[in-house]
Amino acid sequence: MEHLHSRLEAGVATITLDHADKRNALGAAMVEGIVGALERFEAARARAVVLRAAPGVRVWSAGHDVDELPESRRDPLGWDDPLRHLVRRIENFPAPVIAMLEGSVWGGATETVFACDLIVAAPDVSFAVTPAKLGVPYNVSGMLTFLNAGSIRVVKELAFTARPMSAARAEQLGLINYVVPADAIEAFTYDLARGIAELAPLSIAVMKEQLRILSGAHPMTPQGFERIQGLRRVVYDSADYQEGIRAFKEKRKARFRGE
Ligand code: YXS
C-alpha cells in the first residue's frame, strides 16, 4: 500500500503511516493496510510491533477520516467501522504493540494509540479527544479504551474540552510511558522492542490477553447498554452532528445549537 510501509526484523515488526497529504487520517484503506500488516506479523510470530509515522511528522495522525463518516442517521462508530476493527486488532495482537509518536494525535488516532500496549512520545507530541468538536457520539468500547488509559477525571478533561494535551502532561498523568527527545526516540523505542523480543513470547501473550479481558470486565446491564445506544442515536440523528461534519468540510468553526 502506497501510504503504509511495514517490515519485520529479528522478531520486531514496524508499521509506518505515510499519508502526509491527509495527515495520516485513519480511513478504511489505511486501516485495512495496518490490520493486514498485523495479520502477516502474527503469522510470522513477531515478538513486538512498533506503530509509527514517517520520521519528523508534525501530525502523527488526524484521526478517523472525516470524509468517511456518515452524514447522518447512521451510527458513525458501529462495530464494523474501520476504527473499531483497528482498535480490536491491536488489543488482540498476541505481542506488545508500541506506539512511537511524533507530532499531534487526534480523535480516533488518540484512541488507537491508547489501545497500544506501550507509548513512547517525542516532546512535541499532543493528544486530542475530539468527539465534542465534531458532534460525534463516541461509542462505549471507545470510551472504555480511554478509561483504561487514565483516570475518569483526565478522560473527562480530554473529552469535554477537546483540547490537545501535551506529552509532558500525559506522561505526568500516566497516560503514556515515556517522553524521549526526537533525536533519540527511534533508538530508545527499538531498544525497548528488542528487549521484549528476547523474553518469553507465550508468557507475554497470555499476560496481554489477561489484561485485555480484565480491563474489559465492566458490568453493564442490557438496559444500561440500550439506554446508551438510544442516547447515541439522538446525537448522530441531531442537527449538531451534521453541523460538525459540515463545518469540518467547510473548514470553519462549528456552531452547535444543542439539537
Ligand atoms: O483540504 P485538503 O484536501 O488538502 O485536506 C486537508 C484536510 O481536509 C485533510 N484532513 C483530513 N481529512 C479527513 N479526515 C481527517 N481527520 C483529516 N484531517 C485533515 O488533510 C489535508 C490537510 O489538512 P490541514 O490543511 O488541516 O493540515 P494542517 O497541517 O493545517 O492541520 C493539521 C490538523 C491535524 C491540525 C488539521 O488537519 C485538523 O485539525 N484535522 C482534524 C483533526 C480532528 O479533529 N480529527 C478528528 C477526526 S473525527 C474522529 O477521529 C472521531 C470520529 S472522533 O472525533 O469522535 O474522535
Side-chain angles (χ1 to χ4, degrees):
M1 185 195 167
E2 63 175 308
H3 299 309
L4 194 79
H5 314 296
S6 61
R7 71 173 193 272
L8 177 59
E9 285 167 359
V12 175
T14 300
I15 298 173
T16 303
L17 311 182
D18 190 12
H19 195 180
D21 291 350
K22 255 203 148 171
R23 303 300 185 265
N24 290 333
L26 297 173
M30 178 70 96
V31 167
E32 193 181 321
I34 301 170
V35 170
L38 288 171
E39 306 287 356
R40 291 194 303 278
F41 292 146
E42 180 169 354
R45 303 174 76 171
R47 300 282 184 87
V49 179
V50 175
L51 179 61
R52 62 169 302 170
V57 288
R58 283 189 312 104
V59 179
W60 192 85
S61 172
H64 197 298
D65 186 328
V66 176
D67 296 330
E68 296 184 7
L69 287 172
E71 287 286 337
S72 76
R73 303 209 179 283
R74 218 184 87 224
D75 188 341
L77 292 172
W79 177 261
D80 282 326
D81 178 79
L83 180 67
R84 306 309 333 144
H85 272 292
L86 178 57
V87 168
R88 290 197 297 268
R89 197 64 192 84
I90 290 171
E91 291 174 338
N92 293 325
F93 191 82
V97 178
I98 305 169
M100 186 176 93
L101 309 176
E102 295 175 273
S104 54
V105 186
W106 302 82
T110 299
E111 186 199 346
T112 300
V113 164
F114 284 179
C116 291
D117 301 292
L118 298 172
I119 302 171
V120 185
D124 72 326
V125 166
S126 63
F127 303 90
V129 173
T130 52
K133 200 172 86 175
L134 284 137
V136 168
Y138 220 69
N139 63 304
V140 178
S141 57
M143 293 311 290
L144 187 56
T145 306
F146 291 125
L147 259 180
N148 285 331
S151 74
I152 190 167
R153 189 82 51 227
V154 171
V155 175
K156 287 182 175 181
E157 175 190 332
L158 285 165
F160 299 166
T161 69
R163 283 185 187 160
M165 177 183 283
S166 71
R169 179 118 197 278
E171 184 190 37
Q172 182 193 14
L173 294 169
L175 285 171
I176 65 176
N177 299 89
Y178 302 97
V179 178
V180 177
D183 61 3
I185 193 168
E186 193 158 326
F188 181 93
T189 303
Y190 280 92
D191 179 60
L192 193 61
R194 281 192 281 272
I196 290 170
E198 289 169 2
L199 299 174
L202 298 179
S203 171
I204 290 173
V206 75
M207 286 190 285
K208 177 170 175 176
E209 182 60 0
Q210 284 167 340
L211 291 169
R212 184 189 71 82
I213 292 169
L214 290 167
S215 61
H218 287 254
M220 180 183 282
T221 64
Q223 266 198 13
F225 180 74
E226 283 171 9
R227 168 166 162 66
I228 286 175
Q229 288 302 89
L231 289 171
R232 295 188 60 247
R233 179 168 196 157
V234 169
V235 178
Y236 62 73
D237 279 357
S238 70
D240 275 359
Y241 173 75
Q242 294 184 24
E243 164 62 8
I245 304 292
R246 198 177 303 125
F248 175 85
K249 291 178 179 175
E250 294 170 3
K251 299 186 187 294
R252 61 173 172 81
K253 188 174 170 59
R255 291 178 295 277
F256 295 119
R257 299 199 315 269
E259 56 193 37

